[in-house]
Amino acid sequence: MRKYLLKRVFYMILTLFLVATITFFLMKLMPGTPYSNQQKMTAQQIQIMNEQYGLNKPMWLQYLIYLGGMLHGDFGVSFQFSNQPVSYLIASRIGASAQLGFQAMIFGVVLGIIIGAVAAVHRNTWVDTLCTILSIIGKSVPNFVLAVLLQFYIALKLGWFPIADWGGFSYTVLPTIALGVGPLAETARFIRTGMVDVLNSDYIELAKAKGLSRYGIVYHHALRNSLIPLVTLIGPYTVALMTGSMVIENIFSIPGIGEQFVKSILTNDYPTIMGVTMLFSAGLVAVILITDIIYGIIDPRIRLSGSGD
Amino acid sequence: MEEKIKLSPESFEALPKAEELDNEKIAAPSLTFVQDAWRRLKMNKGALISLFVIILMMVVAFGSTPFINHDSLVKSAPQYANLPAKIPGVPINGFNGKLKVSGEWVDEYKQNNVPSNKYFVLGTDYLGHSLAQRIIYGTKISLIVALVATFFDLTLGVAYGITSGWRGGRVDNIMQRIIEVISSIPSLVIVVLMLVVLKPGMTSIIAAIAISSWTTMARMIRAETLQLKSQEYVLAARTLGETPWKIAWKHLVPNLSSIIIIQTMYTIPTAIFFEAFLSFIGIGISSPQTSLGVLLNDGQKNFQFLPYQMWYPAIVLCILMIAFNLLGDGLRDAFDPKTRR
């Protein structure tokens, strides 16, 4: 176990190092300058600005400074927001994104489990068909289309929820739904497939023969056993939520990381792009590692590869 | 101990001769792998309808090339701007040139003095372009992006997977570690970085999607190749001195075809989604070039007053996605009846 963990952590650091390196050199290749009106600036002004942001140093030195700074959480200063450190920008915005992502994950997974379980229990009836159709639609309708529709018809027309911005819980409802529908559809399909398998197995037959109630069978035997593989989906869900947050936060004007990321791309704000890239990568790598460990703990049949040899 | 059962020949009854012979006969014609899969796919109504929808959309999108080109689409006609849909002979509000303006249906065509013989089946956008033409053209661009990206993803993934699985040992180990590292970078990050560095446009989107999505394919192909490698026919081919190239092409690829087809069917909708997503947030394809994502982005700006401008491209995009997803599910069931639920 310990050897396995060390190996995984090593790969994790390697991945992050690669991402940092690739990002850094790609950013240097980027077209455009960070200054919005460079034509109007004198050569001297540009030089002063370059010195201030460390852009006059040789590339390798910039790279080392960048790597060194990152080790203690310093991602440089944003070009877009004057003199604001990127780490501060990220720190002040991560709360909204994290809350939204967490809520969407809970919403999608919990509702997905319920829908998938109901579909599996009522297999090959109209309930099952309805659930399958819903999950196909949920998987196929892009979340940003759904977000615009929700925003217009539920927030603007019906006025049930605030249209945009970030305040209390009511502001989070629509973005959460829009973000969570993807994971919901995926979970429902996954749980249904898993449960149909489990419901056909011998131990369910035995449980029925023992005279357990239908609820008892579904809850204690079928659902629990089909929940375990769901852990493996947390990684892909995290990716989906990160991707989704970029566009959902934009539509609902939520001051989060995704919105910041889009803004920084459109304004050539290199340090912020690099900072958010590193944050996303680190987040995903950590989530994958944690889910692998959890999976090994809750399902003893899974032997972590590398722990045996 | 042993009890003798007395049996007389009378207790038995001879079967009629004909029936006996019938038992040995195989009634169903023998089917090849593809025929068998096609037979199963035909039973799946959803997948079949999806297949026809996809073929129809492709024919319309690519068949429009002589009629709708980029030059005619960038020409704006401000006098026809923001007209709603009008189909002659359809008196339903919303399709007769009327638009709901503060609760009342107003004939926009009359108000803007549009000649009575001029009409737009799906209305026009803010520059007076026919929305129907733009949607068909945009669908074509979206499909091209998705298909080309999937093609590269497929070639790269299959080649990598087969090489890794076939060579095995140290090479395999290194190649798998590389995949492990690449796949733990969010594909979003790869796509965004590629788009930031390359000039936004079709080529960079295709490259970005292809680069970020081949790892899944490579992994599945490798796992299957490892199994196929130990099959007798591969061993026979090796013993006869076939080159690895020929074995891969003649024995491995045909046997991997079901995985390749299924995985491709799931990659295409992902690519369509990614293209629309990137164009929607403004870092993908941008005006005057058109794609479904661009149309959605344009439509979203006027959604409050001219909802049809977003609804139509959104419906087309959703139908396309649903069709590909359903066909993917159908193909998976058809090629691999074991996983059928």
Side-chain angles (χ1 to χ4, degrees):
Chain A
M1 183 73 188
R2 194 147 151 216
K3 196 178 159 195
Y4 170 77
L5 264 184
L6 280 176
K7 202 166 133 190
R8 288 298 303 267
V9 171
F10 168 72
Y11 279 121
M12 209 171 129
I13 294 167
L14 180 70
T15 306
L16 290 179
F17 169 74
L18 276 177
V19 174
T21 310
I22 296 170
T23 324
F24 179 83
F25 287 104
L26 280 182
M27 287 304 110
K28 291 292 152 195
L29 292 172
M30 227 163 79
T33 71
Y35 310 121
S36 50
N37 42 5
Q38 195 170 19
Q39 299 94 321
K40 292 181 202 153
M41 286 158 60
T42 62
Q44 202 185 3
Q45 276 174 317
I46 292 177
Q47 202 197 340
I48 292 171
M49 293 284 264
N50 277 345
E51 265 167 35
Q52 191 184 342
Y53 291 111
L55 292 173
N56 58 338
K57 297 192 180 80
M59 185 97 84
W60 61 268
L61 194 59
Q62 286 186 39
Y63 174 63
L64 287 184
I65 291 173
Y66 166 68
L67 280 187
M70 212 157 53
L71 285 180
H72 45 263
D74 177 11
F75 293 99
V77 177
S78 165
F79 291 164
Q80 187 194 357
F81 301 99
S82 48
N83 294 328
Q84 286 219 48
V86 173
S87 47
Y88 171 77
L89 269 179
I90 289 177
S92 65
R93 281 167 171 265
I94 199 165
S97 287
Q99 188 193 342
L100 199 60
F102 192 69
Q103 277 179 210
M105 183 96 95
I106 298 285
F107 164 78
V109 169
V110 170
L111 210 59
I113 290 173
I114 294 171
I115 291 176
V118 169
V121 171
H122 300 277
R123 194 186 162 199
N124 293 338
T125 64
W126 65 270
V127 183
D128 184 19
T129 316
L130 184 74
C131 292
T132 311
I133 291 174
L134 280 181
S135 67
I136 287 276
I137 292 177
K139 200 179 166 209
S140 304
V141 176
N143 48 16
F144 51 89
V145 172
L146 187 70
V148 174
L149 297 182
L150 283 177
Q151 187 182 41
F152 184 69
Y153 289 103
I154 298 201
L156 192 68
K157 280 264 167 103
L158 298 175
W160 290 358
F161 296 104
I163 296 165
D165 207 2
W166 189 247
F169 177 74
S170 64
Y171 289 86
T172 66
V173 175
L174 292 181
T176 301
I177 294 174
L179 258 182
V181 162
L184 188 154
E186 200 62 45
T187 312
R189 279 160 64 99
F190 194 80
I191 289 287
R192 181 187 171 274
T193 320
M195 259 184 85
V196 166
D197 249 8
V198 173
L199 284 174
N200 285 331
S201 62
D202 292 343
Y203 60 86
I204 297 291
E205 207 67 19
L206 176 71
K208 276 187 199 158
K210 280 200 304 191
L212 281 188
S213 69
R214 199 168 163 198
Y215 169 80
I217 293 172
V218 170
Y219 181 73
H220 285 292
H221 295 284
L223 190 57
R224 288 200 170 184
N225 276 303
S226 32
L227 278 184
I228 296 171
L230 195 64
V231 174
T232 53
L233 284 183
I234 295 177
Y237 286 174
T238 314
V239 178
L241 292 178
M242 284 172 181
T243 316
S245 74
M246 281 175 73
V247 66
I248 302 291
E249 285 176 8
N250 248 318
I251 292 173
F252 289 100
S253 330
I254 295 164
I257 301 282
E259 199 234 1
Q260 176 66 47
F261 196 32
V262 176
K263 247 189 225 159
S264 59
I265 293 165
L266 294 175
T267 54
N268 284 351
D269 186 356
Y270 310 149
T272 313
I273 297 178
M274 292 194 275
V276 178
T277 301
M278 286 309 294
L279 179 77
F280 277 0
S281 307
L284 181 62
V285 169
V287 166
I288 292 176
L289 178 65
I290 292 169
T291 51
D292 280 1
I293 293 171
I294 291 178
Y295 198 43
I297 292 172
I298 60 176
D299 192 348
R301 287 172 300 181
I302 310 292
R303 291 291 299 272
L304 297 176
S305 67
S307 62
D309 52 41
Chain B
M1 198 64 196
E2 231 172 84
E3 202 179 313
K4 274 197 178 152
I5 307 162
K6 287 198 177 91
L7 290 171
S8 60
E10 289 88 70
S11 17
F12 294 95
E13 204 179 299
L15 281 172
K17 269 262 149 65
E19 228 173 277
E20 222 172 324
L21 284 174
D22 255 12
N23 284 346
E24 303 293 318
K25 202 178 155 193
I26 298 164
S30 72
L31 294 172
T32 64
F33 175 63
V34 175
Q35 281 172 330
D36 197 33
W38 173 240
R39 184 183 61 84
R40 274 192 292 263
L41 186 68
K42 272 197 292 195
M43 290 191 293
N44 185 338
K45 277 192 218 99
L48 211 58
I49 295 171
S50 304
L51 181 64
F52 285 121
V53 168
I54 292 168
I55 292 174
L56 184 76
M57 282 185 144
M58 287 203 179
V59 168
V60 171
F62 290 104
S64 72
T65 314
F67 312 107
I68 306 164
N69 51 41
H70 184 244
D71 294 340
S72 71
L73 276 182
V74 290
K75 238 177 263 160
S76 56
Q79 70 272 31
Y80 299 139
N82 293 333
L83 291 173
K86 181 178 178 181
I87 309 168
V90 180
I92 310 163
N93 279 346
F95 292 104
N96 58 355
K98 286 184 179 166
L99 187 67
K100 213 172 186 177
V101 179
S102 49
E104 269 185 55
W105 291 94
V106 180
D107 194 333
E108 290 277 327
Y109 282 68
K110 222 172 255 168
Q111 278 205 337
N112 288 301
N113 300 321
V114 178
S116 58
N117 60 348
K118 188 92 187 165
Y119 61 89
F120 298 94
V121 179
L122 291 183
T124 56
D125 67 358
Y126 69 108
L127 287 172
H129 302 133
S130 160
L131 202 56
Q133 284 188 16
R134 287 200 78 186
I135 289 177
I136 292 173
Y137 190 78
T139 311
K140 185 171 92 177
I141 299 295
S142 293
L143 280 172
I144 291 176
V145 168
L147 294 177
V148 177
T150 307
F151 172 76
F152 282 117
D153 162 44
L154 188 144
T155 348
L156 187 61
V158 171
Y160 195 98
I162 289 184
T163 316
S164 178
W166 182 258
R167 296 293 296 273
R170 188 116 150 255
V171 178
D172 181 36
N173 206 359
I174 293 172
M175 287 176 94
Q176 286 314 300
R177 293 294 87 74
I178 293 175
I179 283 200
E180 218 162 83
V181 169
I182 292 179
S183 61
S184 55
I185 305 171
S187 56
L188 169 76
V189 165
I190 302 178
V191 171
V192 164
L193 290 181
M194 296 278 301
L195 286 177
V196 161
V197 175
L198 303 170
K199 227 170 74 208
M202 251 170 87
T203 330
S204 23
I205 290 200
I206 290 172
I209 295 175
I211 286 179
S212 63
S213 62
W214 60 275
T215 47
T216 325
M217 177 77 99
R219 271 187 174 160
M220 295 177 83
I221 294 290
R222 172 188 168 261
E224 198 64 23
T225 306
L226 281 179
Q227 283 187 6
L228 291 176
K229 212 166 82 171
S230 52
Q231 298 282 327
E232 280 83 1
Y233 56 85
V234 176
L235 184 66
R238 282 171 104 168
T239 322
L240 290 171
E242 282 288 25
T243 59
W245 273 103
K246 209 155 181 194
I247 295 176
W249 194 244
K250 283 231 155 158
H251 295 291
L252 297 182
V253 171
N255 282 298
L256 293 167
S257 59
S258 59
I259 297 184
I260 298 175
I261 293 174
I262 296 166
Q263 188 58 29
T264 306
M265 277 301 146
Y266 287 121
T267 312
I268 294 175
T270 318
I272 294 176
F273 168 78
F274 243 115
E275 184 279 317
F277 168 81
L278 293 169
S279 305
F280 187 83
I281 55 176
I283 53 176
I285 292 171
S286 51
S287 297
Q289 181 71 277
T290 304
S291 76
L292 288 175
V294 174
L295 288 169
L296 285 170
N297 189 11
D298 285 348
Q300 179 234 355
K301 291 171 192 155
N302 284 330
F303 190 60
Q304 194 175 345
F305 305 108
L306 305 160
Y308 69 92
Q309 284 186 0
M310 177 160 168
W311 266 113
Y312 297 141
I315 289 170
V316 172
L317 178 64
C318 293
I319 290 177
L320 205 56
M321 298 279 291
I322 292 174
F324 271 112
N325 277 325
L326 278 178
L327 183 62
D329 285 356
L331 282 171
R332 187 195 57 204
D333 294 345
F335 278 118
D336 193 1
K338 277 173 287 177
T339 61
R340 185 146 197 191
R341 297 282 133 72

